[in-house]
Amino acid sequence: GDGDGDGTAGGDAPDVDGMLEALRERLAGLEGDATRRLISWEDDRRGAGGHAHAEEKKDGPPSESAFRSLTAVLDGLDGELSSMELWLEGREEAIRPLTDECREIEEENRALEQQWRNYGRLAVEMNRLLQGLDVPSDLLDVVHNPTGVLSYMPGSNRLNLDGTQEGVRTISKAGRALKGCLDRARMGGGAHLVAVGERAETLLTTANIFCGELAEIVVSVMEQLAERVVAQMDASAGGGGTGPGHSTIASQIREAQRRFQSALVAYMPLVEVVSSLKPEALPAVRQAYSKLVAEGILSKKRMRNYFRSLPTAYYDEPVDLKDYPPVSLGRKLGAAGTTEGSLGGNTPNDIVVAVDAEDIEAALTEMLPVIAREAFFTTALFNLAQDEENLDGKEKKKNFETVKKSVDASAVFFNKCMTRVCGIAPKGIRTDAMLSFVSAVHLDKSLEGYHDRQNKNGEHSLSLAYVRSTIMALKGQVEKQWTSWIKEQIDWIKTHPGVPASGKQAGVFQSFARFPSYIDHLIVCCHGEPSTLPNMKVATRALQRLATALLESLAACAVREGTDQEYAVEVMRMENAHFLAATMKARPETRDIFERHITQATAICKSASDSYLGWMIKREFKNLHSLFSRISKIRKESGDKDIPLHVPRANFTRTLDRECGREVLRGKISAIHGRMEKHLSDESALLSETWKQLVRVLYEWFGRFEKLSSQCYGVRLEPSAVDVVRIAKDVA
């Protein structure tokens, strides 16, 4: 075994596969021989019986030789394995360059194989990306020259509008094909690849040129259609004579608008192509469309003729609250609650007349549908309501602003004329506030007809939203003018016009006396519809501000320096509060608006009446009031037994004889009535009601006097409380 191993190690390099096979066979033989020896040794060690044991003692262990033989075999095997390791290490150094080279070649082969596979996949992907990026050849010619498929008039560059339908369909088809190629380039990915990017750039360039030519075609079509329609419209209008009425002009405008828009519908596919391929080109087209409408169907001349043909409107100089006739509760009331006769040279009918706003009503009825249709068609033509349900609020607002800008430009002269008709004046110029109010009423009514109650959305919803926006803009301006006038009147009320510095015999303030006339004027201008004022929030707030200013003015006059606090302040508060409450209660159209002010004024009147009547009785019956007040106080503090000690009976009867005689009482009551007539004005019509209250107070007071006289002194008061009431009624 050793010789074979040495000879193998020292000879020439043998065949590697043969050497490995020989080693495997040798190892298998050694393993088998070692196993047999170990089994034999184990059998000898476990020999059976005492004989075997005796023999073992006698000759020594029979397995020892076997063990030594096994050890020698194993040592030899170990040596052979060590020799093999040395040989393998030497061969490894010899074949390492070959194995390294083979490894590099194998890695390169794998890389080449992977590259080949990747190129295959890339070819498939490029085919997929580039597939469909080419417009069909027959449509590509249309894209490059869209005018070539349209029909033109002989010897002219004007389109033959009656023979372009087929060309429009072809152009639309080419545009859809181009849009499909662009969508595939955008959605398919691979835009970073040179081939795809170049193809996409070519498509975009082509689309831009194509859309530019389409925009020119659309504008040219619009111009020709507008020229044709306007010419027909002018021909039908005729000339000479008094001219057509406003209804006829409005009908002609609506018919011309219908013809123009109906003819333009056939060219909407061209606008849709531009919208899908190059939306940024649409503003110029919208601007051209709006200009054609503003200079044609809704031109300045046409709008001026229409508004001039409207019924004669009410235009008057500005009227302030101080110019209205005062109302008197003590006079006979004429129509609408105003007084017959006036103070200041004007009769009520000069001011308190219905504002004739037929022009406003006619314009809103006849022309707003034209504007609504214009908004609807603009939205549909330029595709501004597409996928509205999927748009967020910001996008919807953007679309609405686009529609508004376009239609505002189309209806610019209508808006200007409508502004003048509604009485909207430039800043710094005063107009009749009542015209502003009436305009607000009509605009508010008109607004009700332009709500999308059926939730149709789309073009319908946008067009209604535009009309509402237009109405609200006008309504906001007229309401602003009216509320500015209200503020001016509040400033005038705060000056307390006509109120004496002392407050004596102030009567009904000028501001209070004229306020009902103004309310009557508002009611008349509402044309008998009682719900108009309460349903207008702006009107409700403005009128409440006026009523509040009146009550605040009354309170300010009551506490200002110089006002008589003995009785005049109470008369002032009583008369004006009663006047305001009574006049507002008498007008059911505004009763709900002033409910809070009526309640407040009623409370002021009652408080002032109690104070005034108490002062009046104490002044005339000073001694009687002092006597019975003293008796009542003593009775409350000490009881009935001490009353004669403080007020002797003789003194009591003497005072009654002097102060409580029938003729004396009649004289005093007559004096009270005369003084009350002097204090209370005819305008408040408060004398009768106040005298009735005084009679009740006299009955209560003399009833207490009578009771104290009988219980404390046993003296019957003559005349009695009932007799005093009879005397007071006789005096009145």
Side-chain angles (χ1 to χ4, degrees):
D2 294 340
D4 293 339
D6 294 342
T8 303
D12 296 333
D15 180 57
V16 177
D17 292 336
M19 290 291 294
L20 291 175
E21 183 64 27
L23 284 173
R24 281 195 293 270
E25 291 178 357
R26 183 65 183 274
L27 286 173
L30 290 174
E31 289 176 358
D33 185 57
T35 301
R36 285 192 298 271
R37 287 179 180 274
L38 287 172
I39 292 172
S40 176
W41 178 75
E42 185 66 20
D43 290 341
D44 292 343
R45 189 178 66 85
R46 295 183 180 181
H51 176 71
H53 184 66
E55 289 293 331
E56 184 180 350
K57 288 184 179 181
K58 180 178 180 182
D59 298 333
S63 59
E64 183 176 352
S65 60
F67 178 74
R68 285 195 296 270
S69 176
L70 178 60
T71 302
V73 172
L74 294 176
D75 289 340
L77 180 59
D78 185 59
E80 291 182 3
L81 291 175
S82 298
S83 299
M84 178 58 69
E85 289 177 0
L86 293 174
W87 182 84
L88 290 175
E89 289 177 359
R91 297 304 94 193
E92 182 182 3
E93 293 296 331
I95 67 174
R96 179 172 291 134
L98 296 176
T99 57
D100 291 343
E101 184 177 357
C102 291
R103 186 179 301 108
E104 292 175 358
I105 293 172
E106 184 65 24
E107 290 177 356
E108 185 177 355
N109 289 337
R110 282 197 298 270
L112 290 173
E113 182 180 2
Q114 185 63 39
Q115 186 180 30
W116 175 78
R117 292 175 181 172
N118 289 341
Y119 281 158
R121 295 192 187 98
L122 179 60
V124 173
E125 186 66 16
M126 288 297 293
N127 288 333
R128 185 187 68 80
L129 293 175
L130 295 176
Q131 186 178 8
L133 296 187
D134 291 324
V135 179
S137 58
D138 56 333
L139 297 178
L140 186 60
D141 295 336
V142 178
V143 171
H144 288 153
N145 184 24
T147 58
V149 296
L150 297 175
S151 175
Y152 286 83
M153 302 295 291
S156 172
N157 60 352
R158 294 171 62 86
L159 286 167
N160 180 11
L161 298 179
D162 298 327
T164 58
Q165 288 77 10
E166 185 62 32
V168 170
R169 285 192 290 269
T170 303
I171 293 174
S172 176
K173 183 178 179 181
R176 290 195 300 271
L178 182 57
K179 179 65 167 58
C181 293
L182 287 171
D183 288 343
R184 284 189 289 272
R186 183 177 64 256
M187 303 299 295
H192 59 284
L193 300 175
V194 175
V196 178
E198 291 178 351
R199 189 72 60 84
E201 286 294 331
T202 302
L203 290 173
L204 286 174
T205 302
T206 303
N208 289 336
I209 298 173
F210 179 59
C211 289
E213 295 180 355
L214 286 188
E216 293 178 0
I217 293 172
V218 171
V219 173
S220 177
V221 169
M222 289 178 180
E223 291 173 350
Q224 290 184 226
L225 288 174
E227 182 181 348
R228 176 194 294 180
V229 170
V230 171
Q232 295 173 354
M233 187 179 184
D234 292 338
S236 64
T242 59
H246 63 92
S247 299
T248 303
I249 297 176
S251 177
Q252 292 172 353
I253 292 174
R254 290 195 297 270
E255 179 61 22
Q257 182 189 50
R258 185 194 63 78
R259 290 199 306 268
F260 177 65
Q261 293 177 354
S262 298
L264 201 53
V265 166
Y267 298 90
M268 285 181 64
L270 302 184
V271 181
E272 292 175 358
V273 171
V274 177
S275 176
S276 62
L277 292 176
K278 192 179 180 182
E280 56 272 19
L282 285 180
V285 181
R286 285 197 297 267
Q287 185 177 1
Y289 172 80
S290 299
K291 184 178 180 181
L292 288 171
V293 175
E295 294 178 353
I297 299 173
L298 299 178
S299 66
K300 181 178 182 180
K301 179 180 178 181
R302 212 174 309 282
M303 290 297 99
R304 185 178 296 171
N305 290 339
Y306 171 77
F307 280 93
R308 283 177 177 174
S309 67
L310 291 172
T312 303
Y314 168 92
Y315 297 103
D316 204 347
E317 294 297 324
V319 178
D320 292 321
L321 185 61
K322 63 183 179 182
D323 300 321
Y324 280 87
V327 171
S328 173
L329 294 177
R331 299 179 186 176
K332 182 180 178 182
L333 294 181
T338 59
T339 59
E340 295 180 351
S342 65
L343 304 177
N346 294 324
T347 62
N349 290 334
D350 291 337
I351 296 178
V352 186
V353 294
V355 173
D356 183 7
E358 291 184 22
D359 52 347
I360 301 175
E361 186 175 4
L364 293 174
T365 303
E366 296 173 350
M367 290 303 297
L368 271 186
V370 174
I371 305 304
R373 177 166 181 154
E374 190 63 37
F376 180 90
F377 185 76
T378 300
T379 304
L381 178 63
F382 296 105
N383 203 24
L384 294 172
Q386 185 179 15
D387 297 331
E388 188 181 35
E389 296 179 355
N390 299 325
L391 298 179
D392 56 14
K394 186 176 181 180
E395 289 295 328
K396 289 182 179 179
K397 183 178 179 181
K398 181 179 178 181
N399 287 344
F400 173 76
E401 293 297 333
T402 301
V403 173
K404 187 177 187 305
K405 181 179 179 181
S406 180
V407 183
D408 281 347
S410 300
V412 58
F413 298 114
F414 166 79
N415 291 332
K416 288 182 178 179
C417 293
M418 197 69 206
T419 297
R420 286 195 292 269
V421 167
C422 290
I424 301 172
K427 188 176 182 181
I429 299 178
R430 294 191 70 203
T431 59
D432 185 12
M434 192 56 68
L435 177 59
S436 299
F437 170 77
V438 172
S439 299
V441 172
H442 284 286
L443 289 167
D444 199 51
K445 291 180 182 178
S446 180
L447 189 64
E448 292 298 319
Y450 291 94
H451 289 284
D452 188 13
R453 294 184 174 87
Q454 298 178 358
N455 295 322
K456 292 183 178 180
N457 297 319
E459 294 86 356
H460 181 76
S461 178
L462 265 180
S463 62
L464 293 182
Y466 172 77
V467 176
R468 289 198 305 273
S469 173
T470 301
I471 295 174
M472 291 298 294
L474 292 170
K475 186 169 177 282
Q477 293 181 70
V478 296
E479 286 178 348
K480 183 178 180 180
Q481 284 192 170
W482 185 55
T483 53
S484 296
W485 181 87
I486 293 291
K487 186 177 182 301
E488 293 175 1
Q489 308 319 303
I490 291 175
D491 294 338
W492 175 73
I493 291 171
K494 290 180 179 179
T495 62
H496 322 303
V499 181
S502 64
K504 294 181 178 181
Q505 294 184 337
V508 178
F509 295 175
Q510 292 183 20
S511 54
F512 279 78
R514 286 158 174 77
F515 183 61
S517 290
Y518 178 66
I519 298 299
D520 291 335
H521 197 185
L522 290 177
I523 295 172
V524 168
C525 291
C526 291
H527 302 287
E529 297 184 16
S531 62
T532 300
L533 282 173
N535 290 337
M536 290 182 65
K537 293 182 180 180
V538 173
T540 299
R541 289 194 297 266
L543 295 178
Q544 288 175 347
R545 287 172 58 197
L546 274 177
T548 300
L550 290 173
L551 293 176
E552 289 176 350
S553 171
L554 178 60
C557 289
V559 298
R560 70 178 177 176
E561 186 178 357
T563 300
D564 178 74
Q565 299 295 321
E566 187 177 18
Y567 75 91
V569 64
E570 304 301 343
V571 174
M572 181 193 304
R573 295 173 68 239
M574 181 172 60
E575 283 194 293
N576 287 279
H578 168 74
F579 181 86
L580 180 64
T583 53
M584 293 304 102
K585 283 181 181 179
R587 290 159 175 80
E589 297 87 351
T590 58
R591 189 181 300 152
D592 292 339
I593 296 177
F594 299 112
E595 181 179 2
R596 177 171 58 86
H597 300 86
I598 291 173
T599 302
Q600 187 176 355
T602 302
I604 293 172
C605 181
K606 184 178 185 307
S607 173
S609 297
D610 293 343
S611 299
Y612 174 71
L613 295 177
W615 170 82
M616 188 76 79
I617 294 175
K618 291 176 184 178
R619 186 179 187 280
E620 285 299 326
F621 298 98
K622 183 177 180 180
N623 293 331
L624 278 178
H625 176 264
S626 176
L627 174 64
F628 283 102
S629 295
R630 184 181 179 190
I631 293 172
S632 178
K633 182 179 180 182
I634 295 171
R635 187 182 193 187
K636 183 177 180 181
E637 293 177 352
S638 304
D640 292 350
K641 61 181 180 179
D642 291 340
I643 292 177
L645 299 177
H646 297 279
V647 181
R649 181 184 178 89
N651 293 343
F652 176 76
T653 55
R654 188 167 53 251
T655 302
L656 291 182
D657 293 339
R658 185 176 64 251
E659 299 290 339
C660 205
R662 184 175 293 273
E663 293 302 322
V664 173
L665 289 178
R666 182 180 294 276
K668 290 181 177 294
I669 292 174
S670 297
I672 292 176
H673 189 270
R675 190 176 296 110
M676 190 175 290
E677 283 184 324
K678 181 181 178 181
H679 290 165
L680 300 178
S681 64
D682 293 337
E683 287 76 12
S684 66
L686 201 56
L687 178 60
S688 176
E689 180 65 28
T690 306
W691 185 255
K692 290 179 181 179
Q693 294 180 23
L694 178 70
V695 170
R696 287 194 294 269
V697 173
L698 285 174
Y699 178 76
E700 293 173 358
W701 282 42
F702 275 86
R704 289 197 299 271
F705 294 168
E706 190 175 10
K707 184 177 180 181
L708 286 173
S709 176
S710 174
Q711 292 178 350
C712 298
Y713 295 97
V715 176
R716 183 179 178 183
L717 190 64
E718 288 290 341
S720 65
V722 175
D723 294 332
V724 171
V725 170
R726 292 195 183 102
I727 294 172
K729 289 182 178 180
D730 291 341
V731 169

